[in-house]
Structure formats: C-alpha cells, structure tokens
Amino acid sequence: MSIYAAAVARYFEAWNATDADALAKAVAAAWSEEGTYTDPLADVRGHEQIAAVIQAVHEQFPGFEFRLAGDVDGNHHIARFGWELVSTTEGSAPVAGSDAVTLAEDGRITSVLGFLDRLPEA
C-alpha cells in the first residue's frame, strides 16, 4: 500500500469512528498534532478540534459512513481523493466531495483542504 493510500485509510477510520475514545485514537493516528482541517463549513487545528468536527457530522448524519469514491492519487507528500457520505441502511449518498491532504514525513496528515461537491437539498 502506498503512503497515500495508507494515509487516506487512516483518514477514513477517523471519519467513521463514532465512539469518543475510538475517534480520539483514530484522529491521533491520522493527523499530526498541529494538523488542520479546512472545508467550506470548518477551519480547525489540532486533534481536539478535528474530532469535534467529525463528531458534529455524525450527529447531523447518524447511520452514515464515509466511503472512498475512486482512487487515491498522490505525489510529493500530497494526496487527493473523492468521497461520499453514504447511508448504511439504504445506500443513498446525499453528500460528496473531494479532499487534498498534505502528509508529514511520518505519513500523518498535516493539512486537509476539503471541497463539497454535493449537498442535500435545503
């Protein structure tokens, strides 16, 4: 597995963790201590703030999980990939986007720049 695919796998483990302890451990495994996450709805730094954003998404979309959409592409410690937020019961995916991540030498994420490509109707 490439460093890019491994980093993205840890990223999805964090985004799909719903238990507070599991979430904290998964965020620490995926992001460096001062890692950042930025998308149109959030701009946060550090494990605690990143975990809070993930927890808020799970509160808004209970019973959903994040899934990779397509392949992970990477070069020079930068990876990009698409994703969908999918209902585990009926398979709909009302939210989708793409992210670009920068990796530290240890393979953990230092920054995420996220883009939302599909959102639910208001």
Side-chain angles (χ1 to χ4, degrees):
M1 179 180 294
S2 74
I3 63 167
Y4 310 109
V8 171
R10 288 189 304 274
Y11 178 79
F12 280 105
E13 285 178 30
W15 275 99
N16 288 322
T18 55
D19 172 77
D21 289 335
L23 175 57
K25 289 177 185 174
V27 167
W31 270 271
S32 62
E33 287 79 8
E34 292 298 314
T36 63
Y37 176 85
T38 304
D39 72 14
L41 305 173
D43 186 13
V44 297
R45 174 180 299 277
H47 293 171
E48 196 170 294
Q49 290 181 4
I50 292 167
V53 167
I54 293 170
Q55 184 176 20
V57 170
H58 284 289
E59 289 171 3
Q60 185 175 358
F61 294 95
F64 283 74
E65 68 181 14
F66 285 88
R67 295 184 188 165
L68 184 64
D71 295 325
V72 176
D73 185 26
N75 67 71
H76 295 91
H77 283 80
I78 301 169
R80 66 178 178 162
F81 55 93
W83 53 266
E84 292 183 313
L85 183 60
V86 180
S87 169
T88 58
T89 57
E90 47 91 5
S92 68
V95 183
S98 56
D99 292 351
V101 301
T102 304
L103 304 179
E105 289 300 318
D106 68 1
R108 291 190 299 164
I109 296 168
T110 58
S111 69
V112 176
L113 299 174
F115 298 86
L116 301 173
D117 301 326
R118 181 173 62 237
L119 293 171
E121 297 281 330

